[in-house]
Amino acid sequence: MDRILIIEDDKAIAAIEKDYLEIEGFSVTVAEDGRKGLELGLSQNFDLILLDLMLPAIDGFTVCRRLREKINIPILMVTARQEDIDKIRGLGLGADDYIEKPFSPAVLVARVKANMAQYRRLSEKKTPPSEIKIGSIRINTGTRRVYADGREVELKNKEYELLLFLMENVDLVFDRETLYEKVWGLDAVGDNATVAVHINRLREKLEENPSEPRYIETVWGAGYRFRG
């Protein structure tokens, strides 16, 4: 049985999340503050974590960063905060996706299932050690290491998966919806603004001039492509 950790201080919201996920067959544990959530997340084996940002004891951003330093499972932010900067910050700290409050329980369950299924598919995929190199960007798919101009670049999970997909499909244009489906495993369920955040993060880490990218190109009105 898949195990989910909910880190949420609003008892009513936590109860709704727990009830709907348990109906779907998940085993659910709830932590009501950041300190307890961090302790549970690091000491027990969960398959996915739902993380509120506004938490007592330790805020959700700090919890996300410290969890991501140690574990590799999907982390979904659940937040009532609308500011783009908060979403960008959370995704930059290693969260895989976010869900805005108020949310439909059906959407919550769908996002949880899709993120978990995508993570499992990628984890079970047997990829022999090989290398993809385009210009000065190089990926070793066996070790999941990425290099730009000879220096190693640290990427979060979804940043790596998005870059790999684009480089495997060099010069092809993909819109946000398609990229969200291919990398996050969701079809018209998620917020594809997540894609734009991850594209910007990749440019900041890989491009010599992120404002005028050489590789990760925006094709206006169509989407994005990795230019060979």
Side-chain angles (χ1 to χ4, degrees), residues 8-225:
E8 170 64 69
D9 64 318
D10 188 315
K11 293 182 179 180
I13 292 176
I16 291 172
E17 294 174 343
K18 186 173 187 291
D19 287 347
Y20 275 86
L21 290 169
E22 286 182 339
I23 288 171
E24 295 295 324
F26 295 104
S27 173
V28 181
T29 300
V30 177
E32 295 181 357
D33 64 61
R35 181 173 288 110
K36 183 63 175 177
L38 181 60
E39 177 186 327
L40 287 171
L42 293 177
S43 64
Q44 298 188 26
N45 293 321
F46 293 98
D47 298 287
L48 181 142
I49 295 175
L50 287 172
L51 173 64
D52 186 30
L53 290 183
M54 302 299 291
L55 292 168
I58 303 177
D59 68 84
F61 294 113
T62 302
V63 172
C64 181
R65 176 178 57 80
R66 294 175 64 180
L67 286 172
R68 187 51 80 210
E69 289 172 352
K70 301 292 184 181
I71 61 176
N72 197 35
I73 63 172
I75 299 174
L76 276 63
M77 298 182 294
V78 182
T79 176
R81 302 179 70 163
Q82 301 296 316
E83 293 87 347
D84 288 340
I85 189 64
D86 291 323
K87 299 170 187 175
I88 293 169
R89 182 182 175 194
L91 294 169
L93 290 170
D96 295 285
D97 202 357
Y98 63 86
I99 303 172
E100 290 185 358
K101 301 175 186 175
F103 54 82
S104 160
V107 169
L108 173 73
V109 170
R111 299 279 281 277
V112 165
K113 286 184 174 180
N115 273 276
M116 193 173 291
Q118 182 75 347
Y119 172 78
R120 190 161 289 139
R121 283 194 296 271
L122 292 168
S123 298
E124 294 173 352
K125 185 178 179 181
K126 303 301 182 181
T127 305
S130 60
E131 185 174 278
I132 300 174
K133 187 176 188 301
I134 300 174
S136 63
I137 310 298
R138 177 166 61 91
I139 297 179
N140 185 310
T141 58
T143 62
R144 292 175 64 94
R145 289 183 171 178
V146 177
Y147 303 86
D149 293 318
R151 61 182 175 84
E152 185 170 359
V153 179
E154 182 181 349
L155 300 184
K156 306 300 183 183
N157 287 342
K158 286 296 187 290
E159 293 170 356
Y160 172 84
E161 291 159 16
L162 178 57
L163 177 64
L164 179 63
F165 179 80
L166 289 171
M167 290 184 69
E168 287 178 332
N169 296 277
V170 63
D171 290 328
L172 297 180
V173 179
F174 298 94
D175 60 28
R176 289 186 185 183
E177 290 77 10
T178 301
L179 288 173
Y180 198 90
E181 180 182 353
K182 296 296 184 182
V183 177
W184 280 260
L186 301 171
D187 184 5
V189 174
D191 182 347
N192 58 48
T194 302
V195 173
V197 172
H198 281 74
I199 289 288
N200 288 335
R201 296 281 300 178
L202 285 175
R203 285 172 174 163
E204 290 170 2
K205 293 181 177 184
L206 299 172
E207 299 277 5
E208 182 176 351
N209 184 357
S211 62
E212 296 181 6
R214 154 69 179 85
Y215 296 105
I216 305 172
E217 182 181 28
T218 298
V219 180
W220 297 109
Y224 303 101
R225 69 179 173 192

